[in-house]
C-alpha cells in the first residue's frame, strides 16, 4: 500500500483526500492497481491493469474509464526502495497533453528531508515541482478501513 503525498492536480482529484494506491501481482508479470480516494464526502475506488513495458515503465490501462484512450505510460523516475516512489506520466488525449506526477510513500506522512529528496528526481528530469499539491492524509477511521 502506498499513500499519495503530493501530486499534480487533475480534474478527478478535486476535493480528494486519503488517496492510496495498492498493487497486486497477476499472471504474466502484470499488476493490478486499486486506488482509493475520499472525495466530496464519498469513498471512490478505481482499478487498472499495469503491464511492464521495460524496467521502471508501466502501461497503465483503466478499463472502466469515461475518458477514451485513458491508457498511459507511468514512469518510476525515482525511489529509495524503502520510503517513497516518484512517478510521472505524460499522455495525449484528443487535443490535450496531460502531465501528471505523484510522490507516493509507504507511510501516510513523509519526512521533509525525504520529500525534498523525492522532489529532486522530478527536478533532475526538468519537471517543475511548483505544480505539486499536497494530498491530505488525515482521514477518519472509516476512510482508513475502506482503503485497500
Amino acid at each position: 500500500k502506498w499513500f499519495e503525498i503530493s501530486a499534480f492536480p487533475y480534474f478527478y482529484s478535486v476535493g480528494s483526500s486519503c488517496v492510496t494506491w495498492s498493487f497486486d501481482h497477476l499472471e504474466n508479470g502484470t499488476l493490478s492497481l486499486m486506488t482509493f480516494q475520499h472525495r466530496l464526502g464519498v469513498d471512490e475506488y478505481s482499478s487498472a491493469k499495469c503491464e511492464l513495458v521495460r524496467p521502471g515503465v508501466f502501461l497503465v490501462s483503466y478499463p472502466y474509464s469515461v475518458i477514451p484512450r485513458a491508457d498511459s505510460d507511468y514512469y518510476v523516475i525515482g525511489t529509495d526502495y524503502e520510503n517513497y516512489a516518484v512517478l510521472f506520466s505524460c499522455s495525449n488525449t484528443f487535443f490535450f497533453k496531460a502531465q501528471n506526477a505523484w510522490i507516493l510513500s509507504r507511510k501516510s506522512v513523509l519526512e521533509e528531508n525525504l520529500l525534498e529528496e523525492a522532489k529532486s528526481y522530478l527536478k533532475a528530469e526538468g519537471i517543475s515541482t511548483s505544480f505539486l499539491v499536497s494530498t491530505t492524509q488525515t482521514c477518519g477511521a472509516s476512510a482508513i478501513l475502506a482503503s485497500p
Side-chain angles (χ1 to χ4, degrees), residues 51-73:
E51 294 182 49
L52 182 65
V53 175
R54 60 184 178 277
V57 181
F58 291 89
L59 174 63
V60 179
S61 305
Y62 290 91
Y64 306 109
S65 176
V66 296
I67 302 169
R69 301 187 60 197
D71 297 359
S72 184
D73 286 340

Side-chain angles (χ1 to χ4, degrees), residues 4-10 21 75 77 85-90 98-104 122 127-129 131-133 135:
E4 184 181 282
I5 299 302
S6 59
F8 284 4
Y10 45 99
W21 300 39
Y75 297 84
I77 61 172
V86 183
L87 301 162
F88 180 76
S89 175
C90 183
Q99 291 186 345
N100 291 303
W102 301 269
I103 296 177
L104 307 177
L122 291 167
I127 302 164
S128 175
T129 59
F131 297 108
L132 286 171
V133 175
T135 303

Side-chain angles (χ1 to χ4, degrees), residues 8-141:
F8 284 4
Y10 45 99
F11 71 92
Y12 48 86
S13 69
V14 173
S16 294
S17 62
C18 309
V19 181
T20 59
W21 300 39
S22 296
F23 295 91
D24 285 316
H25 290 279
L26 301 174
E27 307 94 36
N28 304 326
T30 61
L31 299 172
S32 70
L33 167 60
M34 175 71 73
T35 57
F36 168 85
Q37 65 183 4
H38 187 75
R39 184 166 75 104
L40 305 173
V42 177
D43 292 344
E44 298 179 344
Y45 299 88
S46 65
S47 62
K49 184 174 93 173
C50 306
E51 294 182 49
L52 182 65
V53 175
R54 60 184 178 277
V57 181
F58 291 89
L59 174 63
V60 179
S61 305
Y62 290 91
Y64 306 109
S65 176
V66 296
I67 302 169
R69 301 187 60 197
D71 297 359
S72 184
D73 286 340
Y74 282 39
Y75 297 84
V76 179
I77 61 172
T79 183
D80 71 350
Y81 297 97
E82 292 179 22
N83 300 292
Y84 66 82
V86 183
L87 301 162
F88 180 76
S89 175
C90 183
S91 60
N92 293 308
T93 304
F94 297 114
F95 302 105
F96 303 100
K97 178 180 177 181
Q99 291 186 345
N100 291 303
W102 301 269
I103 296 177
L104 307 177
S105 173
R106 289 295 191 178
K107 298 178 184 173
S108 61
V109 176
L110 186 62
E111 296 170 15
E112 189 63 32
N113 63 316
L114 293 174
L115 179 59
E116 290 306 314
E117 187 176 306
K119 287 180 181 180
S120 72
Y121 284 102
L122 291 167
K123 293 174 185 174
E125 294 293 329
I127 302 164
S128 175
T129 59
S130 64
F131 297 108
L132 286 171
V133 175
S134 294
T135 303
T136 300
Q137 289 292 349
T138 51
C139 310

